[in-house]
Amino acid sequence: MRDRPTLARLLASALVLSGLTLGGPAPAQAAGSSWEPRPEDHPKTARQTDVPIRMSDGTVLRADVTRPADAAGQAVDMKLPVIVTITAYNKTVIAGGAGGLAGPDPNHLVKRGYVQVVVDARGTGSSGGRWAAFSARENKDSSEIMTWAHSQPWSNGITGMSGASYMGISQLFAASAKPAGLKAIFPQVPGADVYRDVVASGGQLDVGFIPLWLGLITTTGILPPAYAASDPASTIGVLVDRIMTAGAFTSPLLITAALGGDPNYDGPFYAERSVINVIDQVDVPTFFIGGEHDLFQRGTPLLFENLRKRGVPTKMIVGPWDHVEGSSGEKVGDAGYGSLADLQLRWFDHYLKDSPDPALDSDIPNLTYFDQGPDTWTTSSNWIEDQRATSFRLSGSATIAEPGGLTTEAVSDGTSDVLPVPVAGLCTRSANQWTAGVMNSSGFDNPCLKNNALNDKLGVVFETEPVTSPVQIQGPINAHLFTSSNSGDGMLSVAVEDVAPDGTVSRLTGGWQVISHRTLDDSRTRTLDGKIIQPYHPFTREAQKRLAPGEVAPIDVEVFPTAATIQPGHKLRLAVQAFDVPHLLPSLGLAPGSLTVMKVHASDKYPSELTLPTVP
């Protein structure tokens, strides 16, 4: 059963590409809830910086440890549960925000009887070694860090984890190793499959976020560690490691990808770094925060579904947030369950302190998500529950001036030319999403984030007549488009949209697919009522194949999952373009084939269609 609490809007924090969580004012608790956040147990906190943690290969990582303190500022002599955050963004930098913990006060949990440990990942911040972004060695570090926290003299042996983005993914890798003492985690906006989620959605390279992200880690990594004055030799060693990392990992990765090398294709490199491949081994209670316009819009629900299916205590709140907003957590209170700080306190008190909370599941359903359109919050037990596959056929020919049709009835034959316009995507919510929310954080009231109408003129659109009853969408979507191409290649960039009676076009979600990567892996493709709703493409060099001259082939475009309702009087629209800038650009090998005219075919012979998981 689904219900709809009211929506309250708060201002976003612009701070956190790095996944900092700053929190905000807490709204009222869920209606009928008897739970209230408990007061502080301790008046102050005490922090010890750059505590060494030696890994099994001899590399020394560094942690900041914050403990509850008395009125004089002395750390209390108590064994307490430990909350760990592993960051690649330099713990010294994030200490000025939330220090890896959620909420308006970085000491929110510490003053309530927890120890906070923030660790610089291998090769970042103050830690030794060379960074390689979720390599097998770094993921082993995560487990060893948790074992260390479990056995410290100020630890009672029970641990949890928190943090957003990179820090959220680290939690899942650590939990998959089942370290002793780990009882619960709280990942915000974590990814699942790094290739499909963000690096090369649809087969083209992300140039909006990935270079920005790599630059952020490189920049924060060269800041002198806190122990620089007392240990200059170690400081020099750390800086040398950073230079070597840039030369041996970061720069070659970017250059090789741009030139069309192996990083363009899915394979062992990305498999090692994708937590979806180890999620089956995670069995601790997990609370996810996701965003409908987040970088990991695709991945977070997949992780939630896996844990739910296996009976692991799991909850997820998905809001209308980009990556900065989902990382900051400032708007989590809009869902009606209290601030992010209080949600974490409730979660960890129950699972780490064994505090009875019989109303936890009745107060907070398994899934709470924002329904775009009516702009209300809705609850459910599962991401895919009682939905049905509803397909809208493309009909007729669309031009820049005239839309084609979307219908559940008989179709008219037509072909629609999709022209290569390399600025398509600039004036759209996609540009904000795939720069992690930077545009939205500028403070400028950007009309491109509110109305996709201008951007839609750079391609073709297909739309329904105004609907007479609500069309409620929840889950992943597939655009099955019969396509030909003058070059045999190109990229279909599609958006599913809501057209209001006044002509305002709201982008709900998007998807992308390079034609030469159209091969499907049927064993991993997801269907509903016999229809594809989430295609899975191998994206390997071996599976890549251009279209022959004159060939028309079905291209299944994975449209990232969302929740939205097309209200009576509104139209459902499918927009199709050839580029999505600044999100994606072709590598050197794909570039010539991308500057081409593609044709989308619609007829009984070529039944192009948009398939949605709709709620009855």
Side-chain angles (χ1 to χ4, degrees), residues 16-344:
V16 219
L17 261 179
S18 59
L20 297 188
T21 47
L22 305 184
Q29 297 296 313
S33 172
S34 59
W35 186 90
E36 292 289 340
R38 57 188 175 82
E40 296 175 354
D41 299 321
H42 308 276
K44 293 186 177 181
T45 64
R47 184 160 67 106
Q48 183 180 3
T49 61
D50 288 327
V51 176
I53 309 175
R54 187 172 296 277
M55 297 292 99
S56 57
D57 67 348
T59 300
V60 176
L61 309 186
R62 299 281 180 165
D64 289 354
V65 179
T66 305
R67 297 164 58 191
D70 58 25
Q74 294 297 312
V76 299
D77 185 16
M78 300 174 66
K79 290 181 177 292
L80 298 167
V82 183
I83 306 296
V84 177
T85 299
I86 303 171
T87 180
Y89 304 114
N90 195 321
K91 59 183 173 51
T92 303
V93 173
I94 72 169
L101 288 175
D105 182 349
N107 299 313
H108 189 81
L109 291 178
V110 177
K111 288 184 176 181
R112 288 164 175 80
Y114 291 89
V115 176
Q116 170 196 345
V117 174
V118 185
V119 186
D120 282 328
R122 173 181 295 254
T124 71
S126 299
S127 289
R130 296 182 187 175
W131 180 68
F134 299 118
S135 64
R137 178 62 248 187
E138 181 182 325
N139 297 335
K140 185 175 182 180
D141 290 346
S142 298
S143 175
E144 293 183 6
I145 289 166
M146 298 311 298
T147 300
W148 176 87
H150 165 75
S151 60
Q152 293 307 294
W154 30 257
S155 170
N156 68 357
I158 295 173
T159 61
M161 300 186 77
S162 69
S165 190
Y166 198 104
M167 299 174 264
I169 297 170
S170 293
Q171 295 175 51
L172 294 159
F173 273 118
S176 72
K178 305 182 188 301
L182 181 59
K183 299 297 183 182
I185 59 177
F186 205 113
Q188 296 163 242
V189 291
D193 178 333
V194 293
Y195 185 93
R196 289 162 184 79
D197 288 357
V198 67
V199 170
S201 303
Q204 278 196 8
L205 292 173
D206 177 287
V207 295
F209 172 69
I210 294 298
L212 184 67
W213 173 66
L214 291 173
L216 174 68
I217 293 175
T218 301
T219 301
T220 57
I222 61 175
L223 297 175
Y227 56 81
S230 60
D231 191 356
S234 294
T235 301
I236 292 171
V238 165
L239 293 177
V240 169
D241 279 339
R242 300 302 176 268
I243 295 170
M244 295 299 292
T245 294
F249 177 72
T250 309
S251 297
L253 182 64
L254 289 172
I255 294 170
T256 306
L259 294 177
D262 285 346
N264 278 273
Y265 303 96
D266 196 17
F269 178 86
Y270 295 112
E272 182 179 292
R273 292 162 169 81
S274 294
V275 77
I276 194 69
N277 295 319
V278 298
I279 193 64
D280 285 345
Q281 300 166 44
V282 175
D283 57 10
V284 295
T286 303
F287 201 127
F288 292 104
I289 303 295
E292 288 169 331
H293 313 301
D294 177 44
L295 297 168
F296 300 120
Q297 171 191 354
R298 175 187 183 274
T300 305
L302 291 174
L303 300 171
F304 168 78
E305 285 189 280
N306 179 284
L307 299 188
R308 283 284 299 145
K309 287 177 181 176
R310 294 189 294 108
V312 178
T314 309
K315 297 186 185 297
M316 181 171 70
I317 297 173
V318 182
W321 308 315
D322 58 37
H323 198 62
V324 166
E325 292 168 327
S327 295
S328 75
E330 278 199 353
K331 298 184 179 182
V332 167
D334 292 355
Y337 309 125
S339 69
L340 181 60
D342 289 340
L343 278 176
Q344 289 193 335

Side-chain angles (χ1 to χ4, degrees), residues 237-453:
V238 165
L239 293 177
V240 169
D241 279 339
R242 300 302 176 268
I243 295 170
M244 295 299 292
T245 294
F249 177 72
T250 309
S251 297
L253 182 64
L254 289 172
I255 294 170
T256 306
L259 294 177
D262 285 346
N264 278 273
Y265 303 96
D266 196 17
F269 178 86
Y270 295 112
E272 182 179 292
R273 292 162 169 81
S274 294
V275 77
I276 194 69
N277 295 319
V278 298
I279 193 64
D280 285 345
Q281 300 166 44
V282 175
D283 57 10
V284 295
T286 303
F287 201 127
F288 292 104
I289 303 295
E292 288 169 331
H293 313 301
D294 177 44
L295 297 168
F296 300 120
Q297 171 191 354
R298 175 187 183 274
T300 305
L302 291 174
L303 300 171
F304 168 78
E305 285 189 280
N306 179 284
L307 299 188
R308 283 284 299 145
K309 287 177 181 176
R310 294 189 294 108
V312 178
T314 309
K315 297 186 185 297
M316 181 171 70
I317 297 173
V318 182
W321 308 315
D322 58 37
H323 198 62
V324 166
E325 292 168 327
S327 295
S328 75
E330 278 199 353
K331 298 184 179 182
V332 167
D334 292 355
Y337 309 125
S339 69
L340 181 60
D342 289 340
L343 278 176
Q344 289 193 335
L345 177 66
R346 187 172 189 178
W347 192 250
F348 290 135
D349 273 1
H350 183 57
Y351 286 108
L352 273 62
K353 289 180 175 283
D354 292 327
S355 297
D357 192 350
L360 176 62
D361 289 331
S362 58
D363 284 353
I364 307 174
N366 296 326
L367 172 63
T368 303
Y369 62 89
F370 185 80
D371 189 6
Q372 299 178 82
D375 291 354
T376 55
W377 291 90
T378 300
T379 64
S380 181
S381 295
N382 298 294
W383 186 231
I384 299 295
E385 193 168 39
D386 53 0
Q387 291 94 317
R388 292 291 178 262
T390 301
S391 295
F392 292 84
R393 292 274 301 276
L394 278 63
S395 180
S397 299
T399 66
I400 292 176
E402 293 292 332
L406 271 183
T407 181
T408 57
E409 300 177 354
V411 302
S412 300
D413 294 356
T415 59
S416 305
D417 290 344
V418 182
L419 304 179
V421 183
V423 295
L426 278 175
C427 186
T428 176
R429 184 183 276 164
S430 177
N432 177 72
Q433 177 171 356
W434 297 102
T435 53
V438 169
M439 291 173 64
N440 196 34
S441 302
S442 67
F444 170 64
D445 188 15
N446 190 337
C448 292
L449 303 184
K450 299 177 180 178
N451 192 343
N452 232 50

Side-chain angles (χ1 to χ4, degrees), residues 17 132 187 298 367 496 505 538 545 557 610:
L17 261 179
R298 175 187 183 274
L367 172 63
V496 174
V505 180
K545 183 181 180 182
V557 184
L610 176 69

